[in-house]
Amino acid sequence: MVKATSIASEMAPLILGGEDRPAAIFMFVDALAYLRSILAGPNSRVESRALASGRLRRLQQRLPGTGDAWHPRTEGEVIAMSWLCEMTTLATGRGRPAPLRCCG
């Protein structure tokens, strides 16, 4: 299966927790590649803004203590927050925390 959208990662723990021991390959791009790809297309930029509040909410749930302390102000910050949200989702889907690397 190839997942068409990053929101599908939210279902990974449920899907991968099945009795038949399903497997998955988690694929992602680094933060800089993600930023460049979103900024390259006007539709991607519109979608990024539309999904930002939900992604921020999901990120705050995964990173306790952030609460209202941080809100992205610029388009670049929104895109970076979106990438971080999806990386934490993948780490949760793996069933264990994963170190996050950026731009390396």
Side-chain angles (χ1 to χ4, degrees):
M1 173 168 108
V2 175
K3 86 177 174 59
T5 64
S6 56
I7 195 69
S9 299
E10 288 288 342
M11 298 180 286
L14 177 64
I15 294 169
L16 297 175
E19 292 179 18
D20 54 349
R21 299 180 53 146
I25 297 172
F26 290 87
M27 298 173 61
F28 64 95
V29 296
D30 67 34
L32 186 55
Y34 184 81
L35 179 69
R36 286 177 175 160
S37 69
I38 298 300
L39 290 174
N43 292 338
S44 296
R45 294 171 82 167
V46 169
E47 181 182 45
S48 179
R49 283 190 299 274
L51 298 175
S53 64
R55 285 177 168 159
L56 180 58
R57 200 168 32 258
R58 289 170 43 219
L59 183 60
Q60 290 171 335
Q61 289 171 349
R62 285 205 172 77
L63 300 176
T66 57
D68 292 327
W70 182 72
H71 284 279
R73 291 178 296 273
T74 66
E75 184 177 21
E77 288 177 354
V78 167
I79 295 167
M81 176 276 301
S82 296
W83 178 87
L84 181 59
C85 172
E86 299 309 337
M87 293 301 98
T88 61
T89 302
L90 288 177
T92 300
R94 288 182 52 196
R96 62 183 194 268
L100 297 176
R101 294 185 326 237
C102 176
C103 312

